[in-house]
Amino acid sequence: MENEILKALSARKSVRVFTDRPVTAEERAAILEAAFQAPTAGNQQLYTILDITDQALKERLADLCDHQPFIAKAPLCLVFLADCRRWPRAYRAAGVENPRKPGPGDLLLAMADACIAAQNAVTAAESLGIGSCYIGDVLENAEQMRQVLQLPAHVVPACMLVFGYPTEQQQNRPKPVRFREEAVVCENTYRDRTEEELREDFTCRAAAGSQVGFDFDRHIQAFCKRKYESDFSREMSRSAAVYLKDFT
């Protein structure tokens, strides 16, 4: 089955190199409006979006987010915050006495709200020919990030998105192949993939992506060292624990 939306979702890939063409005010407004129209828990919109227009701040974020210079070159940069402050403040403003402190469940719900809104923004941008890239590293360096973005308690970075028109090289760059359905879909209840199935899942994905000479053990060991056991991954977990202190 195929239609224009399905084709666009399948074709979309991260863009990290942009042309000098700006994102217009009208395009920015359309991207934000799409974010606002995303599904949201109880119509609460449990997020705040920071539109980063200060170039010095953008460069600081690029440095804090694992030293990625392309962030500072993006024409449009949005930080999606899980906001667990707005509604309790509204409750107090309406005369509710001592509303409970936001808990871990509130944070998880707000993180989901923020990421769903972000994906709507990505899809809207794609429809306009504007590329985008998620920056998960915005969750790192909690203390410095709180300072530069002036984040109060109960407000947590969910993700950052950078937008811009892709260069020809980025347009022609192949999209990484995804896993097959059976590797990620379980029926009714969760089931661990066996070691043999895991090897097959990764080998099939590599073959679909024309990876010659794929070696499961070597590939997974190298990926674990480069990503899962990396300094930035450990820093992200440390920073997440800092933010979680407000909710526990």
Side-chain angles (χ1 to χ4, degrees), residues 15 32 44 54 63-64 70 77 82 90 104 112 119 127 131-133 154-155 164 174 183 193 198 201 223 233 236 245:
V15 173
L32 286 171
Q44 296 175 85
D54 183 279
D63 186 49
L64 288 174
F70 79 92
C77 177
Q119 184 58 22
S127 76
S132 60
C133 184
H154 302 126
V155 177
R193 302 288 282 172
L198 286 171
D201 293 338
F223 193 89
S233 183
M236 185 174 291
K245 287 179 182 178

Side-chain angles (χ1 to χ4, degrees), residues 203 205-215 218:
T203 301
R205 188 180 71 167
S210 301
Q211 289 182 246
V212 179
F214 177 78
D215 182 285
R218 186 169 65 242

Side-chain angles (χ1 to χ4, degrees), residues 49-67:
I49 302 172
L50 302 183
D51 181 8
I52 308 299
T53 59
D54 183 279
Q55 186 59 34
L57 177 55
K58 197 183 294 185
E59 291 171 2
R60 181 63 175 142
L61 289 173
D63 186 49
L64 288 174
C65 292
D66 204 33
H67 314 292

Side-chain angles (χ1 to χ4, degrees), residues 112-125:
D113 249 26
C115 290
I116 294 167
Q119 184 58 22
N120 255 36
V122 164
T123 304

Side-chain angles (χ1 to χ4, degrees), residues 142-171:
E143 296 84 359
Q144 294 162 288
M145 198 65 71
R146 274 179 159 170
Q147 181 181 24
V148 300
L149 297 181
Q150 299 182 27
L151 304 180
H154 302 126
V155 177
V156 179
C159 66
M160 180 161 67
L161 278 171
V162 291
F163 299 88
Y165 281 92
T167 61
E168 184 176 355
Q169 179 273 334
Q170 289 285 289
Q171 290 178 19

Side-chain angles (χ1 to χ4, degrees), residues 152-211:
H154 302 126
V155 177
V156 179
C159 66
M160 180 161 67
L161 278 171
V162 291
F163 299 88
Y165 281 92
T167 61
E168 184 176 355
Q169 179 273 334
Q170 289 285 289
Q171 290 178 19
N172 296 332
R173 180 176 56 82
K175 178 176 179 174
V177 175
R178 304 309 201 229
F179 285 117
R180 302 172 301 165
E181 178 181 327
E182 52 264 45
V184 294
V185 178
C186 295
E187 186 172 359
N188 297 321
T189 57
Y190 185 87
R191 180 181 74 82
D192 276 323
R193 302 288 282 172
T194 66
E195 289 190 9
E196 292 75 16
E197 288 172 331
L198 286 171
R199 288 179 177 275
E200 182 183 5
D201 293 338
F202 281 88
T203 301
C204 287
R205 188 180 71 167
S210 301
Q211 289 182 246

